[in-house]
């Protein structure tokens, strides 16, 4: 049985009414924070994840379907998945920290740079626009494939396919 406040929140979300966020926060923030704290121990990180969760809830509010899940279940999944994503992101970040002693960045000579690939942005314009957009987002704007999918509003599989095809086309330019 769906409660009156739940109905009101769902209605506000569907109409993109910003009152929905304050009602959601008032009624669900503590519970969602509890979900997040089970995954993330650090207080500041957990607070950041709670904020990211509410941003995602707002961004995906049109996708919520009361026929598929209760409101709290939907909110719970977003909070939990955002927590897991943050843990993975932090783990990857610490694993990828640059070790200056082991780095060869400072040992590169200008002869070591392949002069043919320096003009990659110029060659990128020779590709279809759909491939340019994906490669630009991933390589020059530093997005992950998932972020590019969300930002460009195209399915993740399509992002991966366009990346693969775009890189294959660039390879033809550089390796005729």
């Amino acid at each position: 049985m769906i409660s009156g406040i739940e109905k009101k929140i769902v209605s506000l979300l569907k109409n993109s009414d910003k009152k929905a966020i304050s009602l959601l926060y008032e009624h669900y923030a503590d519970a969602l924070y509890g979900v997040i704290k089970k995954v993330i121990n650090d207080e500041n990180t957990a607070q950041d994840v709670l904020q990211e969760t509410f941003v995602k809830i707002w961004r995906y509010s049109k996708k919520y379907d009361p026929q598929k899940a209760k409101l709290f279940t939907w909110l719970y999944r977003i909070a939990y998945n955002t927590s897991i994503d943050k843990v993975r992101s932090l783990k990857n970040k610490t694993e990828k920290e640059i070790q200056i002693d082991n780095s060869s960045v400072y040992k590169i000579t200008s002869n070591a740079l392949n002069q043919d690939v320096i003009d990659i942005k110029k060659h990128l314009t020779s590709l279809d626009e759909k491939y340019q957009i994906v490669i630009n987002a991933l390589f020059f704007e530093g997005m992950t494939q998932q972020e590019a999918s969300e930002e460009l509003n195209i399915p993740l599989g399509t992002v991966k396919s366009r990346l693969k095809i775009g890189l294959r086309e660039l390879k033809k330019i550089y390796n005729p």
Side-chain angles (χ1 to χ4, degrees):
M1 185 77 199
I2 191 166
S3 72
I5 192 68
E6 233 177 282
K7 284 181 184 175
K8 183 174 183 172
I9 291 171
V10 170
S11 172
L12 292 170
L13 280 172
K14 291 293 179 192
N15 294 319
S16 298
D17 190 325
K18 292 183 180 174
K19 291 178 198 166
I21 287 296
S22 55
L23 284 173
L24 280 168
Y25 195 86
E26 180 182 327
H27 292 278
Y28 296 102
D30 291 340
L32 295 178
Y33 186 71
V35 169
I36 293 165
K37 282 294 287 176
K38 287 184 186 280
V39 178
I40 297 173
N41 294 327
D42 181 63
E43 195 78 28
N44 290 330
T45 306
Q47 289 287 338
D48 290 345
V49 170
L50 182 63
Q51 183 175 353
E52 286 176 40
T53 297
F54 276 95
V55 168
K56 285 182 178 181
I57 289 167
W58 181 251
R59 187 182 304 150
Y60 300 130
S61 61
K62 297 264 191 220
K63 294 181 180 181
Y64 172 66
D65 182 357
Q67 303 300 320
K68 291 183 181 176
K70 290 183 177 181
L71 181 61
F72 182 74
T73 304
W74 183 70
L75 299 171
Y76 173 94
R77 294 304 315 158
I78 293 174
Y80 182 77
N81 289 340
T82 304
S83 302
I84 297 296
D85 290 346
K86 179 59 85 173
V87 167
R88 287 179 182 150
S89 168
L90 292 172
K91 183 177 181 231
N92 286 340
K93 184 178 179 183
T94 56
E95 287 175 359
K96 292 179 181 176
E97 284 184 356
I98 297 173
Q99 304 299 321
I100 298 294
D101 298 339
N102 302 333
S103 175
S104 62
V105 170
Y106 300 108
K107 300 173 190 165
I108 295 177
T109 64
S110 62
N111 295 345
L113 294 173
N114 184 344
Q115 301 297 318
D116 295 335
V117 296
I118 291 178
D119 59 352
I120 194 160
K121 280 197 172 191
K122 182 182 87 179
H123 289 299
L124 193 58
T125 59
S126 68
L127 300 179
D128 283 350
E129 185 178 6
K130 60 185 177 184
Y131 305 126
Q132 288 180 40
I133 291 169
V134 169
I135 291 174
N136 216 8
L138 297 174
F139 291 102
F140 298 112
E141 294 178 30
M143 293 183 196
T144 64
Q145 291 178 348
Q146 182 64 45
E147 290 168 339
S149 170
E150 292 169 5
E151 185 70 27
L152 301 172
N153 200 22
I154 52 179
L156 181 59
T158 304
V159 169
K160 291 179 179 190
S161 297
R162 288 181 182 175
L163 172 63
K164 184 177 178 181
I165 294 166
L167 290 176
R168 187 173 56 218
E169 294 302 311
L170 280 175
K171 186 176 179 183
K172 288 178 188 175
I173 293 169
Y174 289 108
N175 252 351

